Amino acid sequence: MDGAHDMGGVAGFGPVRPEPNEPVFHAEWERRALAITLAMALPGGWNIDTSRFARENRPADDYLGMSYYQIWLAGLERLMQDRHLVEADELAAGKVLHPAKPVAKILTADEVPAVLRRGGPTERPASQPALFAVGDRVRAKDIHPPTHIRLPRYVRGHVGRIEAVRGVHVFPDSNAHGHGEDPQWLYTVSFNGTELWADAPDPLLEVTVDAFEPYLERA
Amino acid sequence: MLPLRSASLDSAAGYPYFRAMTDHEHHHDHHHDHSELSETDLRVRALESILIEKGYLDPAALDVLIETYESKVGPRNGARVVARAWTDPAFRDRLLKDATPAIGELGYAGRQGEHIVTVENTPELHNMVVCTLCSCYPWPVLGLPPVWYKSAPYRAKAVKDPRGVLRDFGFELPATTKIRVWDSTAEVRYFVLPMRPEGTEGWSEDELAELVTRDSMIGTGLPKRPDQVQRSEGTS
């Protein structure tokens, strides 16, 4: 979806403000928000693409008005409600009002190190050859689906060059919506600054994105 | 590094997502944020107890997760990788050719680092990493991302005006240096191998790791110079 999360090149946000000696968390609730979100993926049964879409699929005011971990919480609450793990009245009341829904598995403390170490590799075996090779000129399609997409707006319609072929990976556009992994070839595509930003061209700038094959056409 | 100016707080006032959420700033810029934060705090506590009571969460697992990302996994891991690459040419080659197993040799692997690619800075080319769509970041080597990395100003500006971003961080890239910005839009995670500072001949891996800053591995900073650290005696 063309949402407020897709920020590349957007004007008006002002300068970057690094925080000297920044702590990992700025409040106790941020610690809890991170841990609860990571732990709930197992009983909840959702994947990282579903989680990303639950965070970004909201009105721009909401997205821009919340802090990072507030967005995580909002996404988590939505995912849990969609699956009836928790109901809205329970979130409002702050206590359990309905019986728990049976879940297949929960994350136990002893399993955490192995689960984190395993992570979630997304590379899959190829079922067909790659359409593009390093050096090919490609255009990022000018597409605007209302569903999850990982092709940023600022490259759509622009011509770039295949910089690297990264193998076949889970396709977020499908996986986010429960339509299966539908693995696709993934490429690093480089764009010249002069191609992307005609109003402020930097001839020594190159920007790369990682783009799935369905996002690209030969140029 | 040429210091240019200190960051001002003016233009993004009123947009919590854009800013580092420190207590200091809350008191000055958002009177009601303090109570809002407390509300969030209460809400998260209630949510946690609901999920524990329903049997979805093991409270001990939450503690292990927090301890992992607050005290065990962080940019010191990445600094070890960079220092090894600076001292061991064969390791450097492996790191640039296939970073995930090379980084795994030092024991760093897993979530948000399943497919790592190392990009090397040279006198001709400076690399910078961003995720314009969310906050993708190589956790096993750098830990959790700082607030600025996840903020709208960085995500908006890095791909259009990366030299301006570097100025926000207080340094000017030579006008003749090429700059390549890697937008992490899939599950590949990018890790910058900065240039080894001059004047460090004969330094040990441990000493070199002290020079490697988090920002130098994102591409928004440089490693420290030898005169910026106390070189410990007897460790070389």
Side-chain angles (χ1 to χ4, degrees):
Chain A
M1 64 171 289
D2 290 351
H5 67 287
D6 186 357
M7 292 175 164
V10 174
F13 289 127
V16 183
R17 296 189 183 84
E19 179 186 348
N21 305 311
E22 180 178 340
V24 177
F25 299 104
H26 290 79
E28 174 60 22
W29 70 264
E30 292 191 349
R31 289 184 182 86
R32 316 310 298 177
L34 172 91
I36 294 169
T37 303
L38 295 185
M40 277 306 294
L42 195 55
W46 48 76
N47 60 59
I48 192 163
D49 300 306
T50 315
S51 295
R52 287 200 184 111
F53 189 67
R55 288 172 199 154
E56 71 197 24
N57 180 25
R58 58 189 62 253
D61 278 3
D62 262 22
Y63 191 89
L64 297 174
M66 286 189 276
S67 78
Y68 182 75
Y69 285 116
Q70 284 173 332
I71 294 175
W72 273 40
L73 285 170
L76 175 67
E77 288 180 357
R78 176 180 292 172
L79 292 170
M80 292 190 302
Q81 289 178 82
D82 287 350
R83 287 155 184 78
H84 300 288
L85 294 168
V86 173
E87 302 294 344
D89 56 354
E90 295 178 300
L91 294 173
K95 59 182 179 187
V96 175
L97 298 173
H98 308 283
K101 195 180 163 191
V103 292
K105 191 150 177 31
I106 74 161
L107 180 65
T108 57
D110 58 314
E111 293 168 326
V112 170
V115 165
L116 293 181
R117 185 151 194 99
R118 196 159 58 237
T122 55
E123 192 162 7
R124 299 289 180 267
S127 59
Q128 52 196 354
L131 209 54
F132 306 114
V134 170
D136 285 358
R137 274 165 52 86
V138 290
R139 183 184 302 276
K141 291 180 186 170
D142 190 13
I143 44 178
H144 303 267
T147 45
H148 190 55
I149 180 168
R150 295 289 292 180
L151 181 69
R153 260 192 310 247
Y154 71 89
V155 299
R156 296 180 196 169
H158 289 289
V159 173
R161 171 187 173 277
I162 302 286
E163 181 83 19
V165 183
R166 301 294 186 195
V168 172
H169 288 257
V170 174
F171 189 37
D173 305 39
S174 171
N175 202 38
H177 299 286
H179 300 148
E181 294 190 341
D182 190 21
Q184 301 287 341
W185 283 96
L186 179 68
Y187 307 89
T188 298
V189 184
S190 67
F191 298 86
N192 290 328
T194 48
E195 163 76 11
L196 294 178
W197 313 113
D199 58 324
D202 179 346
L204 295 181
L205 168 63
E206 198 174 286
V207 179
T208 77
V209 303
D210 289 335
F212 292 89
E213 201 167 84
Y215 299 162
L216 303 172
E217 59 197 7
R218 203 169 288 282
Chain B
M1 305 257 281
L2 305 171
L4 291 179
R5 63 183 146 134
S6 61
S8 71
L9 295 172
D10 50 2
S11 61
Y15 296 92
Y17 186 62
F18 305 165
R19 334 194 28 250
M21 305 281 280
T22 66
D23 284 336
H24 178 78
E25 290 175 17
H26 281 294
H27 285 303
H28 284 80
D29 299 333
H30 305 273
H31 327 281
H32 40 264
D33 267 9
H34 201 70
S35 57
E36 278 177 10
L37 268 189
S38 301
E39 272 171 42
T40 306
D41 192 55
L42 292 172
R43 193 164 138 216
V44 176
R45 279 168 207 238
L47 178 65
E48 183 177 336
S49 54
I50 291 171
L51 300 177
I52 289 169
E53 192 179 329
K54 287 200 166 194
Y56 305 149
L57 286 182
D58 171 7
L62 301 183
D63 295 337
V64 178
L65 286 163
I66 292 166
E67 196 204 344
T68 301
Y69 289 110
E70 190 151 34
S71 1
K72 291 184 178 163
V73 179
R76 289 300 90 206
N77 292 3
R80 306 280 334 164
V81 174
V82 169
R84 174 74 53 90
W86 283 347
T87 51
D88 180 344
F91 177 77
R92 176 184 160 278
D93 290 348
R94 293 198 294 281
L95 183 66
L96 291 173
K97 199 172 164 208
D98 193 359
T100 315
I103 288 168
E105 292 173 32
L106 281 80
Y108 313 136
R111 191 184 172 96
Q112 287 301 306
E114 296 90 345
H115 310 286
I116 302 182
V117 168
T118 305
V119 292
E120 186 182 33
N121 283 350
T122 67
E124 293 79 36
L125 174 69
H126 183 86
N127 294 283
M128 185 187 287
V129 180
V130 66
C131 171
T132 61
L133 297 175
C134 49
S135 55
C136 299
Y137 193 72
W139 289 12
V141 278
L142 297 185
L144 299 175
V147 168
W148 62 257
Y149 182 88
K150 305 177 284 192
S151 74
Y154 184 68
R155 287 160 57 182
K157 194 170 172 180
V159 292
K160 186 170 186 182
D161 181 19
R163 291 174 204 274
V165 168
L166 295 178
R167 276 179 222 119
D168 293 340
F169 279 83
F171 74 93
E172 187 82 46
L173 197 67
T176 53
T177 304
K178 270 186 66 174
I179 187 158
R180 189 178 286 155
V181 180
W182 303 82
D183 190 356
S184 319
T185 53
E187 296 307 320
V188 177
R189 297 290 168 268
Y190 292 94
F191 176 68
V192 175
L193 176 58
M195 285 187 286
R196 179 171 172 164
E198 289 177 13
T200 56
E201 295 73 19
W203 285 41
S204 71
E205 207 175 300
D206 286 347
E207 290 171 320
L208 288 168
E210 292 299 313
L211 298 175
V212 183
T213 63
R214 177 196 63 202
D215 293 356
S216 72
M217 297 179 279
I218 305 171
T220 55
L222 300 174
K224 292 178 192 165
R225 294 187 312 265
D227 62 347
Q228 290 174 307
V229 293
Q230 284 262 308
R231 193 182 176 194
S232 49
E233 294 297 327
T235 54
S236 58

